[in-house]
Amino acid sequence: MGTRIRIRRTAVVLAASAVLPLALSACGSSGSDSAKSDASTKAPSSSSSDSMNNAGATTADQPFGTACSGVPKSGAGSFDGMAKDPVATAASNNPALSTLVAAVKKAGLVDTLNNAQNITVFAPTNDAFAKIPKATLDKVLNDKAQLTKILTYHVVGQPITPKQLEKGSFTTLEKSKLTTSGSGENYMVNDSAKVVCGNVKTSNATVYIIDTVLMPTS
């Protein structure tokens, strides 16, 4: 009789010993799965937030202005194409900037502009140059020192965002200052030149295309 009782007690202890690790394992597994579930639930939220932020940054970083509609949709002269080339090369692929490109070549500034980093260029259109009397323009184009002075006045040695244009004063490569003002998609430079297509990216510059040639004060 005593032997049977001891055998039963031993069996109960062994059974309990076998069940306890399984129960603990099940609890641990459940907690781990719960943590994983929480992590997986939170991950998409973080990813979604990042995506929204990136989308917002991308939208704010797009070119703007009435003349942007005239830029080719594809090819070297498109926004995507210009983003791959340095600024002088990119401008040469835009037919509306052919007079500016010719002037840059005459002044010997192609390499200077293409090799610069993180600059901003205010680029006058062909129509902007057409506002200058032909005799005056021809005289400037044939005076390398004066031409260089005017062209470098259109270049700022730092990237400029649209937000900075709202009320800005910037030192140009020519060494004197230009001012900017405006908001939204309407900006003026020196209260005389209107930005007609802004925030255009090239591989080394931000370009604001303007409708009037800027003249240094000195």
Side-chain angles (χ1 to χ4, degrees):
M1 184 69 174
T3 303
R4 288 180 182 175
I5 291 172
R6 283 196 296 273
I7 291 173
R8 285 178 182 171
R9 285 178 179 171
T10 302
V12 169
V13 171
L14 290 173
S17 298
V19 170
L20 186 59
L22 291 174
L24 292 174
S25 175
C27 289
S29 174
S30 175
S32 175
D33 288 346
S34 176
K36 288 178 182 176
S37 176
D38 289 344
S40 64
T41 301
K42 292 175 183 176
S45 174
S46 174
S47 175
S48 174
S49 174
D50 290 344
S51 296
M52 288 176 65
N53 290 337
N54 289 339
T58 301
T59 302
D61 208 34
Q62 295 299 312
F64 64 85
T66 54
C68 290
S69 59
V71 174
K73 302 300 181 187
S74 61
S78 66
F79 291 129
D80 287 342
M82 286 190 284
K84 298 174 183 177
D85 291 321
V87 64
T89 302
S92 70
N93 293 320
N94 187 327
L97 300 176
S98 59
T99 305
L100 173 63
V101 171
V104 168
K105 288 179 178 177
K106 264 186 169 293
L109 293 173
V110 172
D111 288 342
T112 300
L113 293 177
N114 277 350
N115 292 328
Q117 294 299 317
N118 299 318
I119 60 175
T120 295
V121 176
F122 293 91
T125 61
N126 295 344
D127 289 341
F129 281 98
K131 293 179 182 180
I132 302 173
K134 188 177 184 306
T136 302
L137 181 59
D138 287 344
K139 183 178 179 180
V140 169
L141 290 174
N142 288 303
D143 183 341
K144 187 174 180 179
Q146 182 65 14
L147 181 60
T148 299
K149 185 178 179 67
I150 292 172
L151 292 177
T152 53
Y153 183 66
H154 289 74
V155 183
V156 175
Q158 69 180 71
I160 300 174
T161 65
K163 184 69 176 175
Q164 290 174 298
L165 290 181
E166 292 182 1
K167 190 177 181 181
S169 177
F170 306 96
T171 301
T172 68
L173 295 193
E174 184 269 335
K175 302 302 183 186
S176 57
K177 289 184 178 293
L178 59 77
T179 60
T180 60
S181 60
S183 62
E185 296 188 355
N186 298 301
Y187 296 97
M188 299 292 292
V189 185
N190 287 353
D191 293 323
S192 61
K194 182 179 180 180
V195 175
V196 294
C197 185
N199 209 29
V200 179
K201 303 297 185 183
T202 73
S203 66
N204 69 327
T206 300
V207 178
Y208 292 93
I209 300 174
I210 54 178
D211 67 354
T212 302
V213 176
L214 305 173
M215 294 294 180
T217 53
S218 57

